[in-house]
Amino acid sequence: MSSAAKALDQAFQGVGQRLGTEIWRIENFQPVPLSKSGKFYMGDSYIVLQTTPGKGGAYLYDIHFWIGKDTSQDEAGTAAIKTVELDAVLGGRAVQHREIQGHESDKFLSYFKPCIIPLEGGVASGFTKPEEEQFETRLYVCRGKRVVRLKQVPFARSSLNHDDVFILDTETKIYQFNGANSNIQERAKALEVIQFLKEKYHEGTCDVAIVDDGKLDTESDSGEFWVLFGGFAPIGKKVTSEDDIVLETTSPKLYSIIDGEPKIVDGELSKGMLENNNCYLLDCGAEVFVWVSRVTQVEERKAASQAAEEFVASQSRPKSTRMTWIIQGYETRSFKSKFDFWPAGSAAPGAEEGRGKVAALLKQQGVGIKGMTKSAPVNEEVPPLLEAGGKMEVWCINGSAKTPLPKEDIGKYYSGDCYIILYTHHSGDRKEDYFLCCWFGKDSIEEDQRMAARLANTMSNSLKGRPVQGHIFQGKEPPQFVALFQPMVLLKGGLSTGYKTYIEEQGLTDETYTTECIALFQISGTSSHTNKAVQVDAVASLLNSMECFLLQTGSSVFNWHGNQSTYEHQQLAAKIAEFLKPGVALKHAKEGTESSAFWFALGGKQSYTSKKVSQEIVRDPHLFTYSINKGGFLIIRFSQVLPFQLTST
């Protein structure tokens, strides 16, 4: 560990070495480690580190500092400063988030199942820790279908309304009150919270009752429920609070933080404006980003953090304003999308040529390879595709076996699984040609990947080595592969036993897609070799005015199309909806005309971009040969990988 890291707080020594959640509470202006309980006192501030697996065995870090509504300004400031120190211990590559009580991000809430429980009191200066042994009847409003937002409200009839789900926690019984207009997903989530409260605070022995709005039976649980409120009486409409305010996204403004003061930077936003030795603030109205270069010292980062907090306070922004800290080189997609120009990288010389050759290899091994010199590059808008009308067979890997996919499921691939695809086709008068490949989901386990490769080799041998083989990774699918499936949909989660076991052992949430869950799909591409749909997090911030999305919520499917989307995108979205749920009646939701049910399914309306997001460039593989000659070390790079370039000595 570096000497700089050693000089930081001892409570952070050795952190980030395991997957999962680590928590600290600020006590007397120092971080104190806590167990993961889901309890957050309103008078305190907390730091939460989430460590997730990345590519190549590396870890990814998200740091959140949670500010209770009754915490002191000094304690909140300490949490922000200590967050910068924790990031320094982790090598300065974490994304940092500010979380305000009652306005937490979906990402933060997803770490705690089924929810976090804000409690009155705290250990911070001026607060007294509540006596947990003395039971107190509490009324909560329970919102959210993907993640639960539990908020304690006054124990009074005036707190109830027809639109929300409420939980009344008494010493002997827990009641769930379902507003007449409440959502079925929120009702289901509330039952999970009740089960948690029952096991955690009632030793699993109290009774549970469901009370439906508008159904009064004085001899039943409903009668008991209303007696606790002083008798039955009509309840009022939902009152709009600060929690319901939807912030507007404004045009991004870039500020350079100089001597703790933000100074406006004029000009068209581009990556080149972010100088390596400066810190910047990007104000987007509903969200504020702080960008810090990798060469800035810890004290400078602390000063930039303080300046950002003061900037938001001076603007009188609502508490729900998002604040995110970004380190140079680890910029998020959301941050990049705010810039008019953010280069995704340029292809290496000869890349177009290499792409043409690889396409030819996929089509027919060793035949028709042309344009092998830089003077004759292949630059086709539509690459050579495999012949249509062939026979498609797909198997999903489960343990040591492969299970064939039903014909109606071919084209649906889970990110936690591995598949073997065999496509049999004809090339002119030739007999059958074969394309055999393994598709690896980005969350699949290594054992399934190895088994898929082994079984694919066995299949190739049984076909006398004739198939063209390949390994394809999720997100890197070549156009020749995508064109085989009409359409192609990438789903969250996995069905293999190995993946399920891994999720359970790591304490991670299984988000495996089902036809009844809440799911959001992003539609990309309209031509045969680019059209696919990808399941993304079901949050409104991922919408884009230039694209189309499908939102599945229970038995309903919304076809949302941005104002700048094309007719072809809208048609493809309808086709994919039929593929996922045959016979479904689509509900069309044009941007700006969405219903409340649409926003409820996404956990509430949020700001989103209206700019085209640059797609990551898929780089061609390169083959290197090396030799040691007369004390020198020589490396030669070939423009692409071809079978006949491999030699041995």
Side-chain angles (χ1 to χ4, degrees):
M1 185 176 292
S2 67
S3 58
K6 290 180 180 177
L8 302 177
D9 204 294
Q10 292 296 314
F12 297 143
Q13 298 295 329
V15 302
Q17 301 302 309
R18 59 180 176 83
L19 298 175
T21 310
E22 297 175 74
I23 306 175
W24 296 263
R25 177 167 53 191
I26 303 301
E27 299 181 10
N28 297 320
F29 306 105
Q30 294 298 322
V32 176
L34 297 177
S35 61
K36 183 179 178 180
S37 65
K39 291 182 182 178
F40 289 81
Y41 288 97
M42 301 179 188
D44 290 334
S45 296
Y46 297 78
I47 297 174
V48 176
L49 168 65
Q50 185 70 13
T51 304
T52 54
K55 294 181 179 179
Y59 285 159
L60 302 178
Y61 301 110
D62 284 276
I63 305 175
H64 307 254
F65 60 100
W66 186 90
I67 308 299
K69 69 179 185 65
D70 297 325
T71 192
S72 68
Q73 187 173 353
D74 289 340
E75 292 279 359
T78 300
I81 296 302
K82 291 298 180 181
T83 295
V84 176
E85 292 188 11
L86 174 57
D87 179 42
V89 173
L90 297 170
R93 53 197 177 97
V95 179
Q96 303 170 40
H97 315 263
R98 184 185 70 166
E99 306 286 351
I100 301 297
Q101 180 187 338
H103 304 278
E104 297 88 352
S105 64
D106 285 0
K107 187 181 188 71
F108 176 79
L109 293 176
S110 69
Y111 306 151
F112 305 93
K113 298 299 182 181
C115 62
I116 67 169
I117 303 177
L119 300 174
E120 294 184 356
V123 298
S125 303
F127 292 94
T128 302
K129 186 176 181 179
E131 295 294 333
E132 296 183 23
E133 293 78 10
Q134 183 177 353
F135 188 88
E136 177 187 351
T137 297
R138 292 187 174 96
L139 179 65
Y140 301 96
V141 60
C142 187
R143 294 171 178 158
K145 297 171 287 298
R146 183 173 177 272
V147 293
V148 176
R149 301 176 185 275
L150 194 68
K151 178 183 178 182
Q152 185 176 354
V153 293
F155 177 25
R157 184 189 293 109
S158 58
S159 295
L160 303 175
N161 62 61
H162 300 292
D163 299 305
D164 290 318
V165 179
F166 294 83
I167 296 174
L168 179 61
D169 187 11
T170 72
E171 191 165 6
T172 58
K173 184 179 287 190
I174 304 178
Y175 298 85
Q176 175 175 324
F177 176 79
N178 297 325
N181 302 326
S182 62
N183 186 278
I184 188 171
Q185 280 83 17
E186 289 186 328
R187 297 182 185 185
K189 285 293 184 182
L191 283 174
E192 294 180 16
V193 176
I194 288 176
Q195 186 61 33
F196 174 76
L197 295 173
K198 178 179 178 180
E199 298 296 333
K200 190 76 174 178
Y201 302 109
H202 297 270
E203 300 180 350
T205 59
C206 73
D207 294 327
V208 174
I210 307 296
V211 178
D212 291 319
D213 184 12
K215 297 180 181 179
L216 176 61
D217 184 349
T218 56
E219 301 300 326
S220 67
D221 295 322
S222 177
E224 292 179 1
F225 175 81
W226 288 111
V227 166
L228 295 172
F229 286 91
F232 175 78
I235 58 177
K237 296 181 179 180
K238 181 178 180 179
V239 178
T240 301
S241 65
E242 186 180 6
D243 294 346
D244 303 310
I245 297 176
V246 178
L247 297 178
E248 294 184 1
T249 299
T250 59
S251 299
K253 296 180 181 178
L254 185 66
Y255 297 81
S256 176
I257 302 178
I258 303 174
D259 297 328
E261 292 292 331
K263 305 292 184 181
I264 190 73
V265 179
D266 295 321
E268 187 179 18
L269 290 181
S270 68
K271 180 182 179 181
M273 301 174 73
L274 304 175
E275 299 178 359
N276 289 340
N277 57 348
N278 281 345
C279 299
Y280 294 86
L281 184 150
L282 185 66
D283 181 17
C284 305
E287 185 170 18
V288 173
F289 295 91
V290 179
W291 183 91
V292 179
S293 72
R294 281 180 288 188
V295 300
T296 55
Q297 301 300 311
V298 172
E299 292 306 316
E300 294 178 78
R301 296 185 184 190
K302 291 180 181 179
S305 177
Q306 181 72 20
E309 293 279 0
E310 293 174 355
F311 174 84
V312 172
S314 67
Q315 299 286 319
S316 300
R317 301 285 175 86
K319 292 181 179 179
S320 54
T321 303
R322 297 262 183 248
M323 290 191 68
T324 306
W325 283 257
I326 304 290
I327 303 297
Q328 180 186 14
Y330 295 89
E331 294 88 354
T332 62
R333 175 181 174 180
S334 177
F335 177 78
K336 294 177 182 179
S337 69
K338 309 299 181 184
F339 288 76
D340 297 315
F341 178 68
W342 190 286
S346 57
E352 289 296 332
E353 174 187 12
R355 247 187 295 279
K357 294 177 184 177
V358 172
L361 280 175
L362 284 171
K363 183 175 182 181
Q364 189 170 319
Q365 186 176 16
V367 177
I369 300 178
K370 299 179 180 180
M372 295 190 63
T373 64
K374 292 185 178 180
S375 61
V378 177
N379 186 16
E380 301 174 276
E381 183 176 354
V382 179
L385 305 178
L386 296 176
E387 289 78 8
K391 179 183 178 182
M392 174 68 69
E393 298 172 272
V394 181
W395 296 265
C396 181
I397 302 303
N398 190 8
S400 60
K402 64 181 192 296
T403 304
L405 284 189
K407 184 177 180 180
E408 62 269 21
D409 288 336
I410 291 179
K412 302 175 186 175
Y413 300 112
Y414 287 87
S415 64
D417 290 338
C418 297
Y419 299 83
I420 297 175
I421 296 98
L422 175 62
Y423 184 67
T424 306
H425 61 103
H426 293 267
S427 298
D429 296 330
R430 291 168 52 87
K431 57 183 179 181
E432 292 89 357
D433 282 333
Y434 304 95
F435 172 52
L436 177 64
C437 72
C438 298
W439 184 89
F440 302 134
K442 63 182 179 65
D443 300 320
S444 60
I445 62 174
E446 187 175 351
E447 290 81 358
D448 284 351
Q449 294 178 12
R450 287 200 300 264
M451 182 55 64
R454 187 178 303 124
L455 293 176
N457 284 334
T458 301
M459 293 176 64
S460 178
N461 292 335
S462 69
L463 294 170
K464 299 180 181 180
R466 291 175 55 198
V468 176
Q469 292 193 67
H471 287 180
I472 295 175
F473 294 85
Q474 181 176 351
K476 308 291 184 181
E477 295 87 358
Q480 295 81 8
F481 179 82
V482 176
L484 295 176
F485 309 96
Q486 300 297 320
M488 179 179 177
V489 184
L490 306 183
L491 307 169
K492 283 191 171 190
L495 304 177
S496 77
T497 303
Y499 172 78
K500 297 287 187 184
T501 301
Y502 172 80
I503 288 294
E504 183 177 354
E505 290 176 347
Q506 298 298 324
L508 303 175
T509 302
D510 189 354
E511 297 182 309
T512 301
Y513 168 80
T514 66
T515 55
E516 298 303 320
C517 70
I518 296 177
L520 183 65
F521 295 89
Q522 183 178 14
I523 312 301
S524 62
T526 54
S527 58
S528 64
H529 60 284
T530 61
N531 59 6
K532 62 181 178 180
V534 180
Q535 185 182 358
V536 297
D537 291 339
V539 291
S541 60
L542 294 182
L543 298 176
N544 188 321
S545 299
M546 300 190 71
E547 299 176 345
C548 289
F549 289 78
L550 286 176
L551 175 61
Q552 172 186 297
T553 168
S555 58
S556 300
V557 176
F558 294 89
N559 184 356
W560 186 90
H561 47 94
N563 290 331
Q564 301 177 54
S565 64
T566 65
Y567 176 77
E568 290 77 10
H569 266 117
Q570 298 168 25
Q571 292 295 101
L572 178 59
K575 180 179 179 180
I576 292 173
E578 179 66 22
F579 180 48
L580 290 171
K581 301 192 73 171
V584 67
L586 273 179
K587 297 182 178 181
H588 292 277
K590 184 180 179 181
E591 182 179 6
T593 65
E594 303 89 347
S595 65
S596 59
F598 178 88
W599 294 122
F600 279 149
L602 292 176
K605 189 175 183 180
Q606 299 182 46
S607 60
Y608 53 85
T609 185
S610 59
K611 300 178 180 179
K612 184 176 182 179
V613 178
S614 300
Q615 298 296 320
E616 180 183 359
I617 293 179
V618 179
R619 297 184 182 275
D620 292 310
H622 299 289
L623 180 66
F624 295 83
T625 182
Y626 71 92
S627 63
I628 301 177
N629 187 18
K630 295 182 181 181
F633 189 71
L634 177 64
I635 298 179
I636 301 174
R637 189 187 81 179
F638 293 92
S639 62
Q640 63 165 47
V641 180
L642 293 177
F644 51 79
Q645 288 176 326
L646 300 175
T647 62
S648 61
T649 59

